[in-house]
């Protein structure tokens, strides 16, 4: 039951009103940490890599490690490629064994976005049970190779969202509603809750059809996260929080143990810290106990 694609997992989340954490990892320690924490909470899990770490570690290596870990885990786990702007690399990762692919053509015109997203969806669906995520509107900030200035960011038009979903055949959909990648520059970022509610109503009002994704989870207040989930966000992306946790923990550990040369102890400190963050997010998103 452990190796799954996101579609079924997220349809269930949409129907039952919780979100699944989609956690970006850059190495094996982080992958083990997110899996262990999700198993401890009996939560479904989406492991994500953005394009640069995926290229660095190589997709077939990540996929092999994911499959080895997931096969013996008692929870459903997906492996997702985050924000890929290159259709060829989307296909490479699908071929290598990723279970979900995000084609991010959100900076293109809507027609070109639809064309590229549809082509990736057709490829992945023909290959097997691989879910595809598309994005409409643009999320500001920096996520790996995708950089969008605040004044370039465009929110998702709800009517266009329906057209996008219908014409592309995507399995999961990321509407831009004002969240941002990286660290928020203001304590109260302007999020368009009404827009999210409208999009959820149009797409999933009658029945859960295409689960919605919230990007830019890091730094949002707990009550804001809960509201986004209650309005229909069922995949919740967290990346920057985990990068900061990794680097800060390593820095603190090494700074306070300057004479110790034991990499395993640094890894243990990192793993414990990452697990703490994953527990926090799982509890906040309401997916604890939802693995069955
Ligand atoms: Zn994102």
């Amino acid at each position: 039951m452990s190796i799954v694609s996101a579609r079924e997992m997220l349809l269930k989340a949409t129907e039952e009103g919780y979100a699944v954490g989609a956690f970006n990892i850059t190495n094996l320690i982080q992958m083990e940490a997110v899996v262990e924490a999700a198993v401890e909470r009996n939560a479904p899990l989406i492991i994500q890599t953005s394009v640069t770490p995926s290229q660095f570690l190589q997709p077939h290596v990540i996929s092999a490690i994911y499959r080895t870990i997931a096969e013996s885990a008692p929870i459903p786990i997906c492996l997702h490629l985050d924000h890929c702007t290159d259709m060829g690399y989307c296909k490479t990762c699908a071929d290598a064994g990723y279970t979900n692919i995000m084609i991010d053509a959100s900076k293109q015109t809507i027609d070109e976005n639809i064309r590229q997203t549809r082509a990736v969806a057709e490829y992945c669906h023909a290959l097997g049970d691989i879910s595809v995520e598309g994005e409409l509107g643009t999320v500001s900030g920096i996520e790996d190779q995708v950089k969008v200035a605040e004044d370039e960011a465009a929110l998702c038009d709800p009517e266009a969202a329906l057209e996008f979903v219908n014409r592309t055949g995507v399995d999961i959909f990321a509407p831009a509603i004002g969240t941002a990648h990286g660290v928020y520059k203001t304590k109260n970022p302007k999020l368009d809750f009404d827009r999210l509610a409208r999009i959820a109503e149009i797409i999933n009002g009658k029945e859960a059809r295409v689960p919605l994704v919230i990007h830019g989870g890091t730094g949002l207040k707990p009550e804001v996260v809960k509201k986004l989930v209650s309005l229909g966000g069922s995949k919740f992306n967290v990346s920057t929080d985990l990068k900061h946790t990794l680097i800060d923990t390593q820095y603190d550990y090494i700074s306070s143990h300057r004479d110790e040369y034991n990499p395993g102890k640094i890894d243990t400190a990192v793993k414990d810290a990452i697990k703490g963050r994953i527990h926090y997010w799982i509890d906040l998103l309401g997916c604890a106990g939802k693995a069955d």
Side-chain angles (χ1 to χ4, degrees):
M1 90 161 209
S2 298
I3 292 173
V4 297
S5 67
R7 186 179 151 76
E8 295 302 320
M9 178 192 282
L10 296 174
L11 283 172
K12 180 172 182 276
T14 303
E15 281 161 7
E16 296 182 19
Y18 61 89
V20 176
F23 302 113
N24 281 63
I25 58 117
T26 52
N27 66 28
L28 174 59
I29 303 300
Q30 283 176 308
M31 193 191 289
E32 288 181 334
V34 297
V35 171
E36 278 184 25
V39 168
E40 285 165 9
R41 282 290 197 272
N42 195 32
L45 171 67
I46 299 173
I47 298 168
Q48 300 193 152
T49 65
S50 49
V51 172
T52 304
S54 168
Q55 289 171 329
F56 179 73
L57 296 169
Q58 301 188 72
H60 67 281
V61 175
I62 296 173
S63 173
I65 295 170
Y66 152 70
R67 281 167 188 268
T68 302
I69 292 175
E71 269 166 8
S72 60
I75 56 170
I77 308 176
C78 307
L79 179 63
H80 179 86
L81 178 68
D82 199 23
H83 286 288
C84 183
T85 55
D86 176 347
M87 294 168 70
Y89 197 69
C90 287
K91 293 175 182 174
T92 298
C93 289
D95 291 342
Y98 276 63
T99 63
N100 311 326
I101 301 291
M102 178 185 187
I103 168 74
D104 180 354
S106 62
K107 274 189 152 184
Q108 311 293 330
T109 63
I110 182 163
D111 285 339
E112 179 60 14
N113 188 350
I114 288 171
R115 188 189 73 76
Q116 290 189 16
T117 306
R118 184 184 174 130
V120 171
E122 282 174 351
Y123 183 87
C124 289
H125 295 162
L127 197 60
D129 184 22
I130 300 174
S131 297
V132 172
E133 176 180 334
E135 176 175 312
L136 191 60
T138 44
V139 176
S140 71
I142 299 174
E143 180 61 41
D144 194 29
Q145 298 164 325
V146 180
K147 299 183 181 75
V148 179
E150 243 171 284
D151 56 4
E152 276 186 307
L155 300 187
C156 174
D157 171 3
E159 299 300 332
L162 184 63
E163 184 193 351
F164 181 85
V165 163
N166 288 340
R167 286 178 58 197
T168 55
V170 281
D171 303 281
I172 44 183
F173 175 57
I177 50 133
T179 54
H181 292 131
V183 177
Y184 285 96
K185 291 174 192 141
T186 159
K187 272 193 176 165
N188 293 301
K190 270 192 216 158
L191 307 188
D192 195 335
F193 297 110
D194 292 343
R195 186 178 297 264
L196 175 61
R198 178 90 183 107
I199 293 166
E201 173 60 29
I202 289 175
I203 293 177
N204 295 317
K206 290 198 183 111
E207 58 169 334
R209 218 159 56 88
V210 181
L212 302 181
V213 186
I214 306 294
H215 284 252
T218 298
L220 295 176
K221 290 178 178 170
E223 60 270 26
V224 171
V225 172
K226 285 187 173 172
K227 189 165 180 183
L228 291 167
V229 174
S230 75
L231 293 175
S234 67
K235 173 174 179 274
F236 211 93
N237 290 6
V238 179
S239 175
T240 303
D241 182 353
L242 304 180
K243 288 180 199 156
H244 283 213
T245 301
L246 169 76
I247 291 169
D248 290 346
T249 304
Q250 285 181 332
Y251 181 85
D252 290 347
Y253 189 89
I254 293 168
S255 300
S256 57
H257 300 80
R258 263 330 268 121
D259 297 325
E260 188 180 278
Y261 286 86
N262 186 337
K265 287 196 173 182
I266 303 169
D267 290 344
T268 301
V270 167
K271 196 173 183 182
D272 289 347
I274 296 280
K275 283 177 71 175
R277 295 309 298 157
I278 303 302
H279 281 288
Y280 165 84
W281 282 105
I282 285 174
D283 291 343
L284 191 54
L285 299 173
C287 60
K290 301 291 187 181
D292 303 324

